[in-house]
Structure formats: structure tokens, C-alpha cells
Amino acid sequence: MSEEQTVSLVDVLEEDEELEEEASAVLAGSDSDHCSYPQGYVKRQALYACSSCTPKGGEPAGVCLACSYKCHEGHDLFELYTKRNFRCDCGNRKFMELHCKLHSEKDEVNSLNKYSHNFFGVYCTCSRPYPDPDDQVEGEMIQCVVCEDWLHGRHLGCVVPDCVELQEMICESCMNKNHFLWTYAAHLSVQVKEEREADQSNTTLPNKEEQGDEVIEPSCKRSREEAEPSCRLKQLQAIGQKRVQSGAVFWPSGWRSKLCSCITCKECLSESGLCFLLDESDTVLAYENKGKTNEQGRQGHDPLMSALDHLNHVQQLEIIHGYNDMKTELKDFLQRFAEDGKVVTPDDIRRFFEQQSRKRRRDDAGRFYPT
């Protein structure tokens, strides 16, 4: 059997743990039981778009985590990860005949919600679905901090740095729409070696004579009316440090705290709809940490036990015994592979559960159920 068709026991356990951690980080920060609509425009939450209810060509709409479970079960959903300042649309005018089961009284439309092509299941500048069945190139997708679109790493126009999960990214389009961000990028952004070398070879700073009327004098030579001494952005502009203004920009941890928060800059950010950049708690990392904290607070809580609450005492005991038996048998089954130094293949796992199914049918056939 080829190497691609096999998987080690360690790989199985590590992949399962990684997927569980990712799910907890995204979902544990949102409420899975109550519609988020009464909270208004939630600072950040897990969102979904339903192609069954709002097909392409119609109006875009997003639903919260709880509504994706309770109101759109069995529907075709697009997972949007998280988005900021969004109010659940489930059951409003955009959904025609569908009514929200969790919160029926809703406005016809949430006018402050922002939508993109993500709500129709396409992403990046290439406007392709994810996963893309026609894309033969494996690669990660990274979310822009500003527009919150997801872009392929190869379409960012820059070299993706290591440990990208510890940083934030702003795509080239959003950088160009908010040109003052390039000033911060020259001083604060992450640039890998290849980009720095390109900057040094392609960009030369003009001397004072060559700059002509566009020369930037040091802030100390400016009048108080022209430059606020407390404005960090003005000070950085006065330094005149440059970088190539193309491609996406990656920002290190804590970069938001280095942005200027003077009155003028706050007004500028407000006009551009970027006030959230001054908020460290707006980051996806902060949201995920909140979710992990919530999950840790529920340690010892087993989802199976929650499901058991809806069964009678006899059914509960049967389920618990069956669950424990299967866990023990699966552990013994995998232990044999570990002791022999063998890999566990998909066929091995399939055979195990087929045996469990046959055993269950035999047990059910010999069991007497009172009427």
C-alpha cells in the first residue's frame, strides 16, 4: 500500500486534536443556542450564509451560529468564519418564506451590515469557491483585517511570512483605499528577506534637491498649525521612510497599539470606517482567545451528556454503556497497531465500525423491549 493511502496513529490523534481546537476557537466565542439578533451589531461572531435560502443572484444575507443549527439544518451553508459588527439576518425580508425559530421579531433589513462575494461562497481576487474542486494548487487562505475577504496566499502580491497565524494582514486593495496605511507599513509591517532586498534594489530615496516641492521637512521645522506635535502619523511622515507600495501587508502582534489616536487621526479613521483598528480586542486572535477561555470554563462538560438529558433513564443507561464499550474497544483496537508499529489505514477504521455495527444488530435482535 502506498504511503499516501496510510496514516499513522499519531497523525490520526494530532489531526483530530487540531481540528477540535480550531472549531473551539471559532465557535466557542459565539452562542450556539440563542440568536444573536437581540445583541444588535455584534462586535465579532461566527457567521454563515445559506445558499438554499438566498441563492446567487439574490440579496446577500448572513446568519448567526445558533440559527445555522436551528433554522437552517440540512441546508447548504457557506462558512464565513468570523465577521465584525454584523446583525443576524435570519428570517428577515431576504429569506422570503423562512421565519427565524429563535427570534421572530426582526427588522426587514439590517442596514449597517456589510456584505461581500463571500456571502455567495466565493473568495479572493479570483472569486473562486473554497474548497475549489478545479484548483490543483494546495495553499492556505488568509483573511484581510479590513475587508475581511479571504485571499489565496499566492494572490497576495507578496511573500507570505512564517508564523502568519500570529499576524494580521491587510490586502493591497484596502491599503490603496486607505493610503495613509502605507506610512505605517514603512515602519511597522513585517517584511521577509526577499521583500527587503527588492525594496533596496527598486526603491531609492530622492535627495533634498531631487524632491523639489514635495520635500518633507522635519516636524520641528513645521508650524504648529501644520503638524500636531502629538500626532504620531505626522511624525512618521516627516521621517520619510519608504517602502514599495504594492502587495498585501503583514503586521506584527501589537501593531494596532502603535497607531496614532490623536483627534485628527481618530476623525480620519472614523470617516474611513476604520475605528476598529485602534481596538486590540477587535482582532480575530482576541476573539479566539475568548472562545478558548469559554471552552476551558466548560471543562468536564461532555456534549454526549447534554444529549442524554432528552432521554429516559433506561435509554440513558443503554447509551452510556454502549458508548463506554465502544471507547474501550476502539482504544484496544488502536493499541494493537501502536504496539506492532503499524499504521492505521482508512480500511482498518472502516472494518472496525462495520464490526461494531454487526455486533449492535446482533445485540438488538436478542434484546427484549417491553411494550
Side-chain angles (χ1 to χ4, degrees), residues 8 13 53 58 139 168 198 215 219 223 225 250 252 276 290 307 341 370:
S8 70
L13 296 176
C53 296
E168 293 190 293
V215 61
S219 58
S223 65
E225 295 79 13
F250 286 85
F276 59 84
K290 174 186 174 183

Side-chain angles (χ1 to χ4, degrees), residues 115-131:
Y115 305 93
S116 67
H117 60 176
N118 293 173
F119 288 80
F120 295 112
V122 291
Y123 310 86
C124 190
T125 55
C126 60
S127 294
R128 296 294 302 168
Y130 182 84

Side-chain angles (χ1 to χ4, degrees), residues 231-245:
C231 179
R232 191 174 303 168
L233 178 60
K234 296 283 188 182
Q235 294 171 359
L236 293 179
Q237 290 172 336
I239 294 174
Q241 184 170 320
K242 303 291 184 180
R243 63 159 282 166
V244 174
Q245 297 183 1

Side-chain angles (χ1 to χ4, degrees), residues 42-69:
V42 179
K43 190 170 187 177
R44 181 171 292 280
Q45 64 177 316
L47 282 181
Y48 298 81
C50 182
S51 64
S52 300
C53 296
T54 54
K56 195 170 184 178
E59 292 185 89
V63 302
C64 68
L65 177 63
C67 286
S68 74
Y69 291 153

Side-chain angles (χ1 to χ4, degrees), residues 220-365:
C220 61
K221 294 183 179 181
R222 294 182 170 194
S223 65
R224 261 170 216 249
E225 295 79 13
E226 186 177 0
E228 300 176 38
S230 60
C231 179
R232 191 174 303 168
L233 178 60
K234 296 283 188 182
Q235 294 171 359
L236 293 179
Q237 290 172 336
I239 294 174
Q241 184 170 320
K242 303 291 184 180
R243 63 159 282 166
V244 174
Q245 297 183 1
S246 65
V249 175
F250 286 85
W251 308 81
S253 176
W255 72 279
R256 296 187 183 211
S257 64
K258 297 179 175 61
L259 300 180
C260 182
S261 58
C262 72
I263 296 177
T264 301
C265 284
K266 280 186 175 180
E267 291 177 350
C268 176
L269 290 171
S270 178
E271 292 173 359
S272 304
L274 300 178
C275 286
F276 59 84
L277 289 180
L278 296 177
D279 184 3
E280 291 281 358
S281 65
D282 166 80
T283 67
V284 172
L285 180 60
Y287 169 87
E288 291 180 345
N289 287 336
K290 174 186 174 183
K292 291 177 182 177
T293 300
N294 292 344
E295 192 69 14
Q296 291 171 359
R298 294 195 293 263
Q299 280 185 352
H301 170 76
D302 192 336
L304 176 62
M305 301 308 294
S306 296
L308 292 178
D309 291 339
H310 302 287
L311 304 176
N312 63 45
H313 183 64
V314 175
Q315 292 172 322
Q316 289 178 355
L317 290 177
E318 289 181 348
I319 292 293
I320 290 174
H321 286 309
Y323 177 68
N324 287 333
D325 288 344
M326 188 190 72
K327 281 176 60 178
T328 300
E329 292 179 16
L330 179 59
K331 180 179 178 181
D332 293 340
F333 175 77
L334 296 176
Q335 185 65 33
R336 293 197 297 270
F337 285 85
E339 292 174 351
D340 296 339
K342 296 181 180 179
V343 296
V344 184
T345 67
D347 288 337
D348 292 326
I349 299 297
R350 192 177 301 109
R351 278 195 297 272
F352 170 81
F353 284 104
E354 287 175 352
Q355 291 171 0
Q356 292 293 310
S357 179
R358 287 195 294 270
K359 178 182 176 183
R360 191 181 308 112
R361 287 197 295 269
R362 287 198 304 271
D363 292 343
D364 290 345

Side-chain angles (χ1 to χ4, degrees), residues 10-11 39 44 74 77 98 105 115 121 133-134 148 160 182 191 217 222 228 246 256 258 278 281 325 333 363 365 369:
V10 174
D11 291 336
Q39 302 176 41
R44 181 171 292 280
L77 297 172
L98 182 138
E105 297 181 2
Y115 305 93
D134 298 325
E148 297 189 298
V160 178
W182 287 114
Q191 285 186 281
E217 295 290 341
R222 294 182 170 194
E228 300 176 38
S246 65
R256 296 187 183 211
K258 297 179 175 61
L278 296 177
S281 65
D325 288 344
F333 175 77
D363 292 343
Y369 291 96

